[in-house]
Structures are given as C-alpha cells and as structure tokens.
Amino acid sequence: MTTYSIGEVAEKMGLTVETIRYYDRAGLLPFVKRDSGGRRRFTPDNIQLMQMILDLKRAGVSVKEIAHFVSWRLDGDDSLDERYKFLDQHETVLEDEIAKLEQSLAYLRFKKWYYKTATAAGTERIHLTSGTSQVSPQTYQEYERLLASGHTAQDLGDR
C-alpha cells in the first residue's frame, strides 16, 4: 500500500507540517500509523480523513468538536446515528451562514452598481431622494428591473 510522509501530505493538502502535528496532538488523526523510526505514514484513507477535517474546519466546526466526531469513528457502527446527527446539525449551520454570505454579496454587488452609475453620472444625487441623503426607492426598483431583464448582479457592477 502506498503511504505518504507528513511533508508530502502537507504539500498535497496545502497545510504546514506543524498544522498536521497539531491535529494529531488534538486527537484528530488516531488512525495514522508510524513507521519503525516513529515517523507518521499516511495512507490514502488518512488523507481522506484529513480532507474531512479541513471541510469541517472550513464549516466553522471547532477542533474539539472534530476530535469528538473522529472518536465516534473509533466506536464503529454504534455511533452511526450520532455521526449523522452531527453532520446534519453542521450542515444546517453552514447553509445558514452561506445564505447570510449570499445576502452580503448581493448587497455589495448592488452598491458596486450604485457607485458605478453614480461615477458615470458624476454625482451620487441620481440615486437619492431629492433634498435628502436617502437612497430613493426608484434606485432599488431600477436595479431590480435590470436584474429581472436578464442582467447579472456581477455584470451590473463591473466596469
């Protein structure tokens, strides 16, 4: 079976050797075996586990929670339901976070269009209710009309 050194895994995964060692000390890599010299030797399955760890980290799961999840793998089939519920819960949290990020991205794209068109007109007043500093409802309506007519938010904000 092909195995990989910690340096090879670090390079392959875009991590530092120190990060992998930290994950090992935190109990995230209990399956990684060591050779006769005490060096970690990673199998393709271990690399898949590393990818899962990175995905969970990216999803905002703490190292402590990931270690708990990994420990359930050691329990075998007795923990299948707990692992499912854990992932289901974190999926919901991640979907909520993605929705918030999408809302933020949509607003930023609107503001890019807003400033692009104001710059082209030489004034921000084209978007404001007369005599105020408030964005007029017509500005929002115009932006929505452009989106509805087939323009993308990204295209509308690009120069």
Short mmCIF file of all heavy atoms in Angstrom, two decimals, residues 111 114 124-125 127-136:
data_model
loop_
_atom_site.label_atom_id
_atom_site.label_comp_id
_atom_site.label_asym_id
_atom_site.label_seq_id
_atom_site.Cartn_x
_atom_site.Cartn_y
_atom_site.Cartn_z
N LYS A 111 -24.29 47.78 -4.38
CA LYS A 111 -23.54 49.01 -4.10
C LYS A 111 -22.49 49.27 -5.18
O LYS A 111 -22.23 50.44 -5.51
CB LYS A 111 -22.89 48.95 -2.71
CG LYS A 111 -23.89 49.03 -1.56
CD LYS A 111 -24.80 50.25 -1.65
CE LYS A 111 -24.16 51.48 -1.07
NZ LYS A 111 -25.09 52.62 -0.93
N TYR A 114 -24.42 50.84 -7.87
CA TYR A 114 -24.79 52.16 -7.39
C TYR A 114 -23.64 53.14 -7.62
O TYR A 114 -23.82 54.22 -8.19
CB TYR A 114 -25.13 52.03 -5.90
CG TYR A 114 -25.41 53.30 -5.16
CD1 TYR A 114 -26.72 53.71 -4.94
CD2 TYR A 114 -24.39 54.08 -4.64
CE1 TYR A 114 -26.99 54.88 -4.22
CE2 TYR A 114 -24.64 55.24 -3.93
CZ TYR A 114 -25.94 55.64 -3.72
OH TYR A 114 -26.21 56.78 -3.02
N GLU A 124 -23.70 61.33 -6.96
CA GLU A 124 -24.49 60.32 -6.27
C GLU A 124 -25.96 60.74 -6.19
O GLU A 124 -26.84 59.91 -5.93
CB GLU A 124 -23.91 60.14 -4.86
CG GLU A 124 -24.47 59.04 -4.05
CD GLU A 124 -23.75 58.84 -2.73
OE1 GLU A 124 -22.86 59.63 -2.37
OE2 GLU A 124 -24.10 57.87 -2.04
N ARG A 125 -26.22 62.00 -6.44
CA ARG A 125 -27.59 62.52 -6.33
C ARG A 125 -28.58 61.79 -7.23
O ARG A 125 -29.77 61.80 -6.95
CB ARG A 125 -27.61 64.02 -6.62
CG ARG A 125 -27.02 64.86 -5.49
CD ARG A 125 -27.27 66.34 -5.71
NE ARG A 125 -26.82 66.77 -7.02
CZ ARG A 125 -25.70 67.46 -7.26
NH1 ARG A 125 -24.93 67.83 -6.26
NH2 ARG A 125 -25.35 67.81 -8.48
N HIS A 127 -29.18 58.86 -7.32
CA HIS A 127 -29.76 57.74 -6.57
C HIS A 127 -30.50 58.17 -5.31
O HIS A 127 -31.06 57.33 -4.60
CB HIS A 127 -28.68 56.73 -6.18
CG HIS A 127 -28.07 56.04 -7.34
ND1 HIS A 127 -28.79 55.34 -8.28
CD2 HIS A 127 -26.77 55.94 -7.74
CE1 HIS A 127 -27.97 54.83 -9.19
NE2 HIS A 127 -26.75 55.18 -8.88
N LEU A 128 -30.50 59.45 -5.01
CA LEU A 128 -31.05 59.91 -3.74
C LEU A 128 -32.41 60.57 -3.92
O LEU A 128 -32.69 61.18 -4.95
CB LEU A 128 -30.08 60.90 -3.08
CG LEU A 128 -28.65 60.39 -2.84
CD1 LEU A 128 -27.80 61.49 -2.23
CD2 LEU A 128 -28.64 59.14 -1.99
N THR A 129 -33.22 60.44 -2.89
CA THR A 129 -34.47 61.18 -2.86
C THR A 129 -34.11 62.66 -2.77
O THR A 129 -33.26 63.05 -1.96
CB THR A 129 -35.32 60.75 -1.65
OG1 THR A 129 -35.60 59.36 -1.75
CG2 THR A 129 -36.62 61.53 -1.57
N SER A 130 -34.73 63.46 -3.59
CA SER A 130 -34.40 64.88 -3.69
C SER A 130 -34.35 65.55 -2.32
O SER A 130 -35.27 65.41 -1.52
CB SER A 130 -35.44 65.59 -4.57
OG SER A 130 -35.09 66.95 -4.73
N GLY A 131 -33.24 66.27 -2.08
CA GLY A 131 -33.09 67.03 -0.85
C GLY A 131 -32.71 66.21 0.37
O GLY A 131 -32.69 66.73 1.47
N THR A 132 -32.43 64.89 0.17
CA THR A 132 -32.05 64.03 1.30
C THR A 132 -30.79 63.26 0.96
O THR A 132 -30.27 63.33 -0.16
CB THR A 132 -33.15 63.00 1.64
OG1 THR A 132 -33.16 61.98 0.63
CG2 THR A 132 -34.52 63.65 1.74
N SER A 133 -30.33 62.52 1.93
CA SER A 133 -29.20 61.61 1.68
C SER A 133 -29.69 60.16 1.66
O SER A 133 -28.89 59.23 1.79
CB SER A 133 -28.13 61.80 2.75
OG SER A 133 -28.66 61.51 4.03
N GLN A 134 -30.98 59.98 1.48
CA GLN A 134 -31.58 58.65 1.46
C GLN A 134 -31.64 58.12 0.03
O GLN A 134 -32.01 58.85 -0.89
CB GLN A 134 -33.00 58.70 2.03
CG GLN A 134 -33.06 59.14 3.48
CD GLN A 134 -32.34 58.18 4.39
OE1 GLN A 134 -32.52 56.98 4.30
NE2 GLN A 134 -31.50 58.71 5.26
N VAL A 135 -31.32 56.85 -0.14
CA VAL A 135 -31.43 56.22 -1.45
C VAL A 135 -32.91 56.14 -1.80
O VAL A 135 -33.73 55.70 -0.99
CB VAL A 135 -30.79 54.81 -1.45
CG1 VAL A 135 -30.97 54.13 -2.80
CG2 VAL A 135 -29.31 54.89 -1.08
N SER A 136 -33.23 56.57 -3.00
CA SER A 136 -34.64 56.60 -3.41
C SER A 136 -35.14 55.20 -3.74
O SER A 136 -34.38 54.35 -4.20
CB SER A 136 -34.83 57.51 -4.62
OG SER A 136 -34.35 56.87 -5.78
#
